């Protein structure tokens, strides 16, 4: 059983306080606690770590008693393949000979887990198969199931299905067949598909916006997939058959599979790179080939190195994102969506426009968002109020006079006119009292009866009365001063003649006197604001990428730790299976013994 | 209560700033109309008035927030709104008191109308209720309006 190369001690979870590590005569590590006088093969780890790992152990037992429905799962489907390598297989059972409880030392107590395992094994000892199955099947603990479905370009009925563990198989929608091994014609399509995926990813990494259509299509496909899961389950039987066929031809290396442990970490980075791995799903009960082991260790090392690399980068880059920045981001979002500060918060939420933006997630919860919105609304309302105050009051007379200019005729008396245009906003406007409206109307009608020459002279008198500051060469017909617009003399003439008169008069005027150029300061302030905003947005993006990185790292570490633990448990299992000769067999065969029966 | 409009033309025009909130108020008015005209089919007798209370609460809360929390409207407009029945001044008066910050309706604190001289169930803090006890009060359909929740 000692086929394992010595493992580097790195990556082992730290021992819980009070425990020491020792080597048993069989060469296996065990752990002893001086205070409680207890010893165990399972590595006692500190609290936080233990919580993670213990439940998985019990889960293994549960999943071990897999039902027939397991047949479908691609992982299980591969189990027969692995059992086809008998050279490693047989000697194991020989060595596992009898149910000997090993007690290397007096006063040793087996940890409860070990005892439980022992009992289990004893009961199930029937034949080779039975023995084999009595091993906790750790690889099967994660049930594999289809996760994503992609249409393969140019291979209409064939669909590429990706499972939860990152394996891929093809499924024919029409005939309901599925294969781990891609048929040659489908293979071309898959290669093409992979290429496209890779390109897309690269593009995304470069920061170009991914087309929304794709995402939508993906979502749709996934929804469809969920519905079609039932069908696939039926199709599984077919897939298993296909598998066995392949296995006979010893072509299963061609099957597109990725290692399930490294897979998680690797897939996030280069999921489309198809790895032709050596058999990735060794049954834990079986001997792992030396190569496999080495390969896996290498991968882990690589992974670790990578994780560390990422960590370093993180510390270097990454702008700090303070609480204030988060708030400011959210406020900018509100600003950008041009939300009315007078709308209630519930209504904004119902509108749903907020959720699409990344900045929505800058704040952690709904309460904070509401608070932030309230704050923003207060500020915004204040700002609007100030702006309104700053803006010169638009005289209510101006729109009314413009309206009169367009509609008033001497044919209508005031009451008639009022009734006729009752619905117009200018007539409904309450800021100008009805009395004033009536007076203006009557005066205007009276003036319309005057001679045009008088009206023209009146208009030029009005224009001449304006100071040069308000009316000068730069004024246009649209930017006339208020004093002109509110005067009845301005609207007495018909539009075309009046406008030409005003224009010619303006063209004779000199340029405006030195005005106050107070805009420089404002501009500087605006530029500052813009810079600040850019910084915050960058900080948010950084934070998000950092969080993603951390998550990935944590996942990787968890997978690594789990693997370590599994390995150790395996080792302990092997240690427990001392043959009839007892310890001597172990000691004698220990160095270099591998598969000699 | 819907705004009371007197027949005589002497209705004062709304002060400045009304046009900012006019749309929202119109929405509330429409909602209220819908609630008033909704069918009672399949509803319990006491359920029929719930939406009316709820919309009144929402609208009062909206105006209260605008004036006291966000200070987005001025006193003149606030008074005008109260006078014209856009918000319930009695309810708002209660919200200013400690312990009544979230009060749903006045009926729920009217102890004289109940059998045991107590307030409505919706005034009871969540932690004093039984685990997972779902309540909805009879007078306005409130699910709990104690300040501590």
């Amino acid at each position: 059983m000692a086929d394992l190369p010595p493992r580097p001690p790195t990556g082992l979870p730290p021992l819980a306080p009070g425990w020491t590590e020792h080597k048993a005569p069989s060469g296996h590590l065990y752990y002893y606690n001086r205070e409680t006088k207890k010893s165990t093969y399972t590595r006692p780890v500190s609290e936080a770590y233990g919580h993670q790992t213990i439940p998985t152990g019990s889960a293994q037992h549960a999943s071990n008693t897999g039902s027939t429905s397991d047949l479908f799962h691609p992982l299980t489907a591969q189990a027969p393949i692995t059992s086809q390598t008998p050279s490693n297989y047989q000697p194991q059972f020989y060595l596992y000979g009898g149910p000997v409880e090993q007690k290397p030392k007096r006063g040793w107590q087996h940890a409860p887990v070990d005892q439980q395992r022992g009992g289990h094994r004893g009961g199930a000892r029937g034949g080779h198969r039975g023995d084999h199955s009595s091993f906790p099947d750790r690889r099967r603990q994660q049930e594999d199931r289809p996760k994503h479905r992609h249409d393969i370009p140019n291979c209409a009925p064939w669909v590429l299905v990706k499972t939860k563990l990152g394996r891929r198989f093809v499924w024919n929608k029409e005939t309901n067949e599925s294969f781990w091994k891609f048929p040659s014609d489908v293979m071309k399509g898959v290669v093409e598909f992979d290429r496209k995926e890779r390109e897309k990813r690269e593009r995304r990494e470069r920061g170009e916006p991914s087309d929304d259509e794709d995402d939508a299509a993906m979502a749709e496909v996934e929804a469809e997939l969920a519905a079609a899961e039932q069908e696939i389950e039926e199709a599984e039987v077919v897939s298993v058959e296909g598998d066995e066929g392949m296995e006979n031809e010893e072509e299963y290396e061609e099957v597109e599979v990725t290692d399930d442990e490294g897979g998680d970490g690797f897939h996030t980075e280069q999921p489309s790179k198809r790895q032709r791995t050596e058999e990735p799903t060794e049954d834990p009960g079986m001997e792992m080939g030396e190569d496999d082991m080495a390969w896996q260790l290498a991968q882990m090392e690589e992974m670790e190195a990578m994780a560390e690399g990422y960590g370093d980068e993180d510390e270097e880059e990454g702008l700090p994102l303070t609480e204030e920045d988060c708030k400011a981001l959210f406020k900018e979002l509100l600003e950008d969506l041009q939300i009315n500060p007078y709308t209630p918060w519930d209504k904004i939420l119902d509108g749903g426009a907020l959720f699409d933006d990344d900045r929505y997630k800058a704040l952690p919860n709904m309460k904070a968002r509401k608070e932030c919105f309230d704050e923003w609304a207060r500020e915004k309302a204040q700002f609007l109020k100030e702006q309104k105050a700053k803006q010169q009051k638009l005289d209510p007379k101006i729109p009314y006079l413009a309206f009169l200019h367009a509609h008033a005729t001497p044919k209508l008396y005031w009451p008639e006119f009022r009734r006729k245009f009752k619905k117009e906003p200018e007539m409904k406007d309450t800021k100008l009292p009805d009395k004033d409206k009536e007076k203006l109307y009557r005066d205007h009608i009276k003036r319309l009866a005057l001679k045009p020459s008088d009206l023209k002279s009146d208009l030029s008198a009005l224009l001449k009365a304006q100071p040069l500051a308000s009316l000068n060469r730069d004024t246009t017909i649209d930017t006339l001063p208020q004093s002109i617009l509110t005067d009845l003399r301005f609207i007495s003439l018909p539009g075309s003649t009046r406008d030409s008169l005003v224009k010619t008069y303006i063209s004779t005027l000199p340029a405006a006197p030195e005005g106050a150029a107070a805009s420089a300061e404002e501009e500087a302030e605006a530029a500052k604001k813009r810079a600040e905003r850019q910084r915050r947005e960058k900080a948010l993006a950084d934070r998000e990428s950092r969080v993603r990185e951390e998550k990935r790292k944590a996942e990787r570490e968890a997978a690594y730790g789990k693997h370590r633990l599994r390995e150790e448990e395996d080792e302990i299992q092997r240690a427990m299976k001392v043959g009839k000769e007892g310890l001597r067999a172990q000691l004698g065969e220990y160095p270099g013994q591998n598969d000699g029966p | 209560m819907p705004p009371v409009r007197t027949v005589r033309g002497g209705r004062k025009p709304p002060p400045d700033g009304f046009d900012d909130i006019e749309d929202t108020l119109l929405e509330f008015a429409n909602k209220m109309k819908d609630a008033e005209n909704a069918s009672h089919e399949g509803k319990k007798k006491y359920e029929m008035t719930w939406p009316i209370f709820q919309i009144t609460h929402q609208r009062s809360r909206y105006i209260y927030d605008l004036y006291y929390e966000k200070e987005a409207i001025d006193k003149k407009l606030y008074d005008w709104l109260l006078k014209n029945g856009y918000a319930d001044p009695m309810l708002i008066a209660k919200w200013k008191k400690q312990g009544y910050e979230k009060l749903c309706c006045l009926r729920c604190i009217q102890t004289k109308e109940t059998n045991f001289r107590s307030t409505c169930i919706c005034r009871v803090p969540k932690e004093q209720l039984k685990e997972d006890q779902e309540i909805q009060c009879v007078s306005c359909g409130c699910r709990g309006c104690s300040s501590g929740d």
Side-chain angles (χ1 to χ4, degrees):
Chain A
M1 308 296 87
D3 54 337
L4 301 176
R7 264 165 295 157
T10 59
L12 282 176
L15 278 174
W19 291 87
T20 48
E21 189 177 313
H22 303 275
K23 208 159 202 177
S26 61
H28 292 94
L29 292 175
Y30 69 94
Y31 305 93
Y32 177 63
N33 192 335
R34 191 177 282 271
E35 285 164 34
T36 58
K37 297 248 163 79
K38 277 190 180 173
S39 58
T40 173
Y41 277 126
T42 48
R43 190 181 178 89
V45 291
S46 44
E47 277 291 311
Y49 211 85
H51 272 300
Q52 279 184 338
T53 50
I54 287 166
T56 56
S58 58
Q60 289 159 11
H61 281 287
S63 69
N64 196 17
T65 60
S67 61
T68 48
S69 74
D70 259 2
L71 263 186
F72 163 51
H73 295 297
L75 269 188
T76 355
Q78 286 220 320
I81 303 176
T82 56
S83 63
Q84 281 294 324
T85 50
S87 58
N88 276 348
Y89 202 57
Q90 291 294 344
Q92 200 175 352
F93 290 117
Y94 174 77
L95 285 171
Y96 280 7
V100 180
E101 281 291 352
Q102 183 187 20
K103 295 214 172 185
K105 239 186 192 179
R106 241 167 20 100
W108 268 38
Q109 291 174 0
H110 283 281
V113 183
D114 291 353
Q115 285 171 351
Q116 181 192 347
R117 289 234 175 91
H120 182 39
R121 190 176 58 233
R125 187 160 304 272
H128 285 186
R129 281 285 165 181
D131 188 17
H132 170 73
S133 69
S134 73
F135 268 94
D137 190 350
R138 292 184 184 90
R139 294 303 168 88
R140 268 177 232 182
Q141 60 182 326
Q142 301 160 293
E143 296 208 340
D144 207 358
R145 50 171 47 246
K147 190 104 189 274
H148 297 287
R149 192 171 84 173
H150 308 276
D151 286 325
I152 303 174
N154 306 328
C155 301
W158 289 97
V159 173
L160 182 66
V161 180
K162 209 172 198 176
T163 66
K164 199 169 146 199
L165 294 183
R167 303 142 163 286
R168 312 196 300 176
F169 63 91
V170 287
W171 172 48
N172 192 330
K173 268 197 268 187
E174 282 166 16
T175 61
N176 222 0
E177 287 176 307
S178 49
F179 296 109
W180 287 110
K181 183 195 172 194
F182 302 153
S184 57
D185 50 333
V186 181
M187 187 60 131
K188 270 181 225 149
V190 173
V191 169
E192 176 76 1
F193 171 78
D194 278 346
R195 198 176 51 75
K196 274 185 188 162
E197 279 285 288
R198 203 161 32 235
E199 275 170 18
K200 208 193 281 173
R201 190 161 319 99
E202 276 162 16
R203 219 185 317 134
R204 208 173 297 154
E205 270 164 19
R206 263 179 273 132
E208 288 169 32
S210 63
D211 17 10
D212 288 352
E213 295 169 35
D214 267 5
D215 290 0
M218 279 276 288
E220 189 192 300
V221 166
E222 273 179 40
E224 219 183 306
L225 182 69
E229 214 168 43
Q230 210 64 14
E231 286 176 62
I232 298 176
E233 226 141 22
E234 291 162 21
E236 268 182 31
V237 182
V238 181
S239 92
V240 172
E241 282 166 15
D243 243 341
E244 272 163 5
M246 276 179 259
E247 164 199 323
N248 292 340
E249 293 157 14
E250 299 199 336
E251 280 178 350
Y252 67 87
E253 290 95 345
E254 295 249 343
V255 177
E256 279 259 16
V257 279
T258 48
D259 190 352
D260 59 342
E261 342 216 49
D264 289 2
F266 272 74
H267 248 78
T268 46
E269 280 138 83
Q270 24 179 276
S272 71
K273 196 173 266 180
R274 297 174 299 135
Q275 296 170 326
R276 276 187 196 178
T277 63
E278 50 273 79
E279 184 47 56
T281 54
E282 308 94 331
D283 215 356
M286 306 231 341
E287 296 278 63
M288 286 201 241
E290 203 119 24
D291 293 9
D292 288 354
M293 205 58 210
W295 179 78
Q296 279 187 350
L297 283 174
Q299 285 233 318
M300 302 230 169
E301 231 100 53
E302 210 175 313
M303 246 159 43
E304 257 187 341
M306 239 173 0
E308 276 162 29
Y310 277 122
D312 292 346
E313 274 172 50
D314 286 344
E315 275 151 36
E316 281 165 28
E317 60 159 17
L319 293 167
L321 193 62
T322 64
E323 211 170 302
E324 274 169 37
D325 283 342
C326 292
K327 272 189 169 180
L329 275 168
F330 190 70
K331 283 178 189 170
E332 270 159 19
L333 165 66
L334 293 168
E335 200 86 41
D336 287 353
L337 291 177
Q338 293 177 337
I339 283 169
N340 183 357
Y342 296 103
T343 45
W345 173 239
D346 295 338
K347 203 187 144 201
I348 295 170
L349 285 184
D350 286 346
L354 284 182
F355 308 129
D356 301 334
D357 204 291
D358 271 350
R359 284 170 291 180
Y360 177 75
K361 285 177 233 150
L363 288 175
N365 52 26
M366 226 45 182
K367 199 179 164 199
R369 277 178 208 128
K370 178 159 190 330
E371 259 166 30
C372 193
F373 167 75
D374 282 348
E375 207 180 300
W376 172 81
R378 191 178 308 128
E379 284 162 14
K380 182 85 178 168
Q382 201 62 35
F383 172 73
L384 286 180
K385 212 192 272 177
E386 273 167 23
Q387 223 174 22
K388 226 180 253 175
K390 219 196 284 176
Q391 214 178 40
Q392 338 129 295
K393 272 271 169 57
L394 184 70
D395 202 321
K397 263 182 173 178
I398 295 172
Y400 181 69
L401 285 185
F403 180 74
L404 284 189
H405 186 231
H407 295 103
T409 66
K411 288 176 192 161
L412 292 175
Y413 292 119
W414 166 246
E416 290 166 332
F417 179 78
R418 192 176 56 182
R419 199 183 315 135
K420 186 173 177 188
F421 297 105
K422 200 167 50 182
K423 294 272 170 65
E424 301 300 322
E426 287 87 353
M427 293 298 285
K428 273 206 287 191
D429 186 13
T430 49
K431 283 190 190 107
L432 192 64
D434 272 0
K435 234 182 224 173
D436 290 358
K437 279 185 200 156
E438 185 179 352
K439 191 158 173 279
L440 283 172
Y441 181 78
R442 289 187 192 281
D443 287 351
H444 179 55
I445 296 300
K446 223 178 270 173
R447 284 185 59 81
L448 284 181
L450 294 178
K451 270 186 278 177
S453 56
D454 289 349
L455 293 177
K456 269 179 199 170
S457 60
D458 277 350
L459 180 61
S460 57
L462 168 70
L463 291 174
K464 266 172 201 156
Q466 299 307 315
L468 195 61
S470 57
L471 189 67
N472 51 49
R473 205 198 302 165
D474 302 331
T475 352
T476 62
I477 201 83
D478 300 319
T479 56
L480 290 170
Q482 226 177 4
S483 52
I484 293 180
L485 291 175
T486 53
D487 204 296
L488 268 182
R489 285 176 282 179
F490 180 66
I491 60 164
S492 304
L493 282 168
S496 51
T497 53
R498 180 194 68 183
D499 286 356
S500 60
L501 268 180
V502 172
K503 262 181 209 162
T504 47
Y505 177 74
I506 286 174
S507 61
T508 63
L509 286 173
E514 273 298 297
S519 63
E521 267 176 44
E522 284 170 25
E523 223 165 82
E525 207 164 293
K528 208 170 144 195
K529 241 183 196 172
R530 234 176 293 134
E532 183 75 357
R533 180 181 175 150
Q534 274 173 358
R535 185 189 70 80
R536 273 195 301 259
E537 257 156 30
K538 189 162 185 304
L540 179 70
D542 279 355
R543 185 180 76 163
E544 258 165 31
S545 68
R546 229 177 307 141
V547 167
R548 233 176 289 134
E549 217 56 75
E550 257 161 41
K551 225 187 202 169
R552 210 186 303 163
K553 199 174 155 190
E555 266 170 25
R556 230 182 274 137
E557 265 166 20
Y560 182 57
K562 263 186 211 157
H563 176 77
R564 281 280 181 211
L565 218 76
R566 250 181 263 146
E567 260 176 16
E568 255 167 65
E569 277 171 17
D570 271 352
E571 212 177 318
I572 290 163
Q573 286 283 344
R574 272 178 232 123
M576 305 282 292
K577 305 213 168 185
V578 181
K580 282 203 174 116
E581 293 165 63
L583 269 182
R584 209 167 337 134
Q586 286 271 357
L587 288 171
E589 282 182 335
Y590 180 68
Q593 158 276 342
N594 212 350
D595 20 48
Chain B
M1 279 220 323
V4 176
R5 298 182 202 287
T6 48
V7 189
R8 278 199 318 152
R11 194 169 165 250
K12 260 195 201 159
D16 290 342
F18 180 71
D19 40 351
D20 289 333
I21 58 173
E22 198 174 9
D23 292 341
T24 312
L25 291 177
L26 254 175
E27 247 166 60
F28 277 125
N30 289 340
K31 251 204 235 168
M32 183 64 102
K33 258 181 209 161
D34 289 346
E36 281 163 357
N37 297 329
S39 132
H40 65 276
E41 299 257 328
K43 276 189 196 162
K44 300 224 169 73
K45 194 176 172 189
Y46 53 81
E47 269 177 34
M48 277 156 46
T49 51
W50 287 1
I52 309 291
F53 276 100
Q54 279 159 5
I55 294 166
T56 310
H57 174 95
Q58 278 171 19
R59 187 164 52 184
S60 297
R61 192 84 207 180
Y62 173 61
I63 289 166
Y64 172 85
D65 277 347
L66 280 185
Y67 183 61
Y68 287 102
E69 308 286 326
K70 295 179 192 166
E71 290 159 3
I73 58 176
D74 56 3
K75 177 119 182 85
K76 234 166 108 190
L77 177 57
Y78 176 69
D79 287 342
W80 185 88
L81 288 169
L82 290 191
K83 196 182 165 209
N84 285 276
Y86 284 98
D88 185 353
M90 305 302 274
L91 189 56
I92 288 180
K94 290 287 173 288
W95 287 340
K96 292 184 209 162
K97 287 173 71 180
Q98 194 181 16
Y100 293 87
E101 287 92 346
K102 293 179 188 167
L103 180 64
C104 56
C105 70
L106 289 173
R107 219 202 264 175
C108 287
I109 49 165
Q110 184 57 276
T111 54
K112 283 178 187 159
E113 289 175 5
T114 55
N115 284 344
F116 297 103
R117 298 285 170 268
S118 65
T119 54
C120 179
I121 182 79
C122 69
R123 300 292 304 149
V124 180
K126 280 266 190 303
E127 58 262 30
Q128 290 183 30
L129 292 171
K130 274 176 233 141
E131 197 79 0
D132 297 333
Q133 189 182 1
E134 283 291 320
I135 49 149
Q136 202 161 17
C137 85
V138 174
S139 45
C140 63
C142 175
R143 291 170 194 277
C145 57
S146 100
S147 297
D149 292 346

